[in-house]
Amino acid sequence: MDFTTVNLLGVMIAAIAAFIVGSVYYPLMSKPWLKATRRDPTTIKMSYSPFVISFIGELVMALALALVLGAITLGNPDDYSITMGLMWGFVLWLGFAAMTMTINHRYGGYGWDLTLIDGFHWLLVILAMGAVLGWFGPPEVTLT
């Protein structure tokens, strides 16, 4: 793994963008999500820990995506673009996030409605990360 291709500012902003996506998406989808998860809103206790865990997880995801993009481009700044980030974000979402969620939801006995709700969220999250990381590119290298 070549961490020299990782733009840490880009990773941080990608994680923040992902967190914002979730903070906008799930309030809009709260009723269908609650129904799909078979949860009773009156029994849910508010806690900040899922938000902290989400942000930490999104930081790890952004770092992993930055490493993948760096490996694909060999860290060449000319190969980075928003389009490239979106394309690879989609490919990785489809191959890993969407398939993992689909399999887990089938074993968990959940309906396709939950898979679609959560899957679309993760698609938006990974696309946002890919766009940010593609836009930022690798860190600038200064030769001494």
Side-chain angles (χ1 to χ4, degrees), residues 72-122:
I72 290 166
T73 64
L74 300 175
N76 181 356
D78 295 334
D79 292 337
Y80 279 78
S81 70
I82 292 172
T83 303
M84 182 272 303
L86 289 170
M87 180 190 69
W88 283 105
F90 176 79
V91 168
L92 295 170
W93 167 81
L94 182 63
F96 295 99
M99 292 304 105
T100 300
M101 201 174 18
T102 298
I103 293 165
N104 285 349
H105 287 174
R106 298 301 67 78
Y107 278 103
Y110 292 104
W112 284 100
D113 51 350
L114 181 61
T115 306
L116 291 173
I117 292 167
D118 286 345
F120 190 65
H121 163 256
W122 288 115

Side-chain angles (χ1 to χ4, degrees), residues 6-16 132-133 136-137 139:
V6 174
N7 187 322
L8 292 177
L9 179 61
V11 167
M12 181 60 74
I13 292 174
I16 291 168
V132 168
L133 294 170
F136 270 75

Side-chain angles (χ1 to χ4, degrees), residues 49-68:
S49 69
F51 298 102
V52 172
I53 292 168
S54 292
F55 186 71
I56 292 169
E58 288 160 346
L59 266 173
V60 171
M61 289 173 64
L63 176 61
L65 183 55
L67 285 165
V68 169

Side-chain angles (χ1 to χ4, degrees), residues 25-46:
Y25 181 79
Y26 276 110
L28 295 172
M29 297 301 294
S30 61
K31 287 181 183 178
W33 183 82
L34 284 168
K35 181 179 177 192
T37 59
R38 302 179 205 126
R39 297 181 77 180
D40 179 0
T42 61
T43 63
I44 296 174
K45 294 179 181 160
M46 182 60 188

